[in-house]
């Protein structure tokens, strides 16, 4: 999905260590925020020795960057509901769930991106990748003849998804799932 | 405007000291970010003694909160262009200018809001006030018979303005002024 970050967990010992470490980073970040994220806490939670963490990830920003890069490796794609409106509603529901989760890893990663340039750059790349994948909902709608071929996927996805982030992250106000659905519908109607 | 923060500068010695201090806070914040904002630097730049700063504002977050509260005191209102689309374009151009300014006080204040709860709360109140004032463009459009009476002002303003913040603040990507105009037009069309 666009908003959530999950390390994939393929086989192999190195991959398992990485998965354990990144799962611990997610949990620590969600529970204590970026200020509470330490190599020692990740070591304790993951059961991976701190010397391994220092050797492979070096710093706390290094851990965060790897968490976002692991998210970019996964197999996520937008749900195929058969209509543009349905697809956008599904995307917005994923974002809504990620931003309202308590604790929210997405909110924690966004906050961390204002603390370190490495995290900001990694989050930018992560979202670029997610929005590119989500553009598939626009291609499918064009292929079905639902919307014109010249539709700008990024503009459409911004119209649908930006209100959720702005309201819940920057304005720091609640938004109901119905309101999130409504923004998906406004976006779909804007290109018909 | 919704995005920019400016201390008003009424008469009286206390008011002048406040205006000088907040102007220095703006400049320091824009040039060095929240991490570079110190009482000493504000004292040097404003010519106001540091003991006065400590007595009246106490801390760096205290300065930032007062900057945002001063913004809430000013006489800002949305431009009246005669049409909903024109009014929304004008609002989006102000936000676009504030977010693309180099340095951008707005970007610096947003970043600071992820560092301290006091700044986050003050920014939330500041924006609440700005969006409430901007709702006037919706009332005027209803009064002109341009859009239906039941139109939700906040939903409409989110549709218009959120893409600018999401793209330029969270996704950290450029957006042209034409694209900002376009999101104002999409929002206006969504309620016709």
């Amino acid at each position: 999905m666009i908003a959530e970050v999950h390390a994939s967990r393929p086989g192999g010992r190195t991959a398992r260590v990485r998965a354990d470490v990144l799962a611990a980073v997610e949990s620590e970040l969600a529970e204590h925020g970026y200020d509470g994220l330490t190599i020692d806490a990740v070591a304790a939670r993951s059961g991976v020795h701190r010397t391994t963490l220092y050797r492979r990830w070096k710093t706390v920003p290094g851990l965060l960057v790897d968490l976002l890069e692991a998210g970019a490796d996964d197999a996520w794609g937008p749900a195929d509901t058969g209509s543009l409106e349905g697809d956008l509603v599904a995307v917005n529901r994923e974002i809504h769930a990620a931003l309202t989760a308590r604790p929210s890893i997405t909110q924690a990663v966004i906050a961390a991106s204002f603390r370190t340039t490495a995290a900001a750059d990694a989050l930018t790349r992560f979202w670029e990748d997610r929005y590119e994948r989500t553009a598939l909902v626009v291609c499918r709608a064009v292929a079905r003849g639902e919307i014109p071929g010249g539709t700008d996927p990024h503009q459409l996805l911004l119209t649908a998804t930006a209100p959720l982030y702005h309201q819940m992250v920057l304005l720091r106000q609640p938004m109901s799932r119905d309101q999130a659905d409504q923004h998906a519908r406004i976006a779909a109607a804007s290109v018909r």
Side-chain angles (χ1 to χ4, degrees), chain A:
Chain A
M1 69 187 81
I2 286 181
E4 201 51 283
V5 180
H6 280 302
S8 52
R9 287 173 178 71
R13 188 174 141 63
T14 313
R16 275 202 309 280
V17 167
R18 186 188 185 204
D20 289 346
V21 166
L22 295 185
V25 171
E26 276 195 357
S27 304
E28 286 294 317
L29 195 61
E31 284 172 27
H32 307 295
Y34 185 71
D35 286 323
L37 186 65
T38 64
I39 296 271
D40 282 350
V42 172
R45 189 162 205 144
S46 64
V48 173
H49 204 277
R50 55 202 295 280
T51 53
T52 306
L53 293 175
Y54 281 114
R55 194 175 57 239
R56 184 148 166 207
W57 286 276
K58 292 181 180 66
T59 59
V60 164
L63 284 166
L64 200 60
V65 168
D66 197 39
L67 178 67
L68 287 160
E69 286 177 352
D73 289 344
D74 72 10
W76 185 87
D80 189 355
T81 68
S83 77
L84 177 65
E85 185 176 300
D87 286 2
L88 291 175
V89 165
V91 166
N92 271 14
R93 285 188 180 183
E94 288 196 46
I95 296 171
H96 187 265
L99 291 174
T100 54
R102 294 286 171 270
S104 164
I105 297 157
T106 304
Q107 294 267 18
V109 169
I110 292 171
S113 75
F114 287 95
R115 309 299 295 271
T116 143
T117 319
D121 293 346
L123 183 56
T124 296
R125 287 192 303 272
F126 174 79
W127 263 331
E128 242 169 24
D129 172 67
R130 284 301 199 246
Y131 275 93
E132 250 171 58
R133 295 192 206 186
T134 310
L136 187 58
V137 308
V138 182
C139 302
R140 287 193 302 233
V142 170
R144 279 190 303 263
E146 217 186 322
I147 59 174
T151 306
D152 179 340
H154 191 68
Q155 183 177 75
L156 173 60
L157 294 177
L158 269 187
T159 303
T161 63
L164 282 67
Y165 288 102
H166 191 49
Q167 176 82 355
M168 293 188 277
V169 180
L170 295 186
L171 302 183
R172 295 177 171 85
Q173 297 287 328
M175 174 182 273
S176 69
R177 205 176 71 156
D178 281 356
Q179 289 169 317
D181 288 359
Q182 195 54 34
H183 282 285
R185 284 188 205 107
I186 289 169
S190 77
V191 291
R192 255 181 234 132

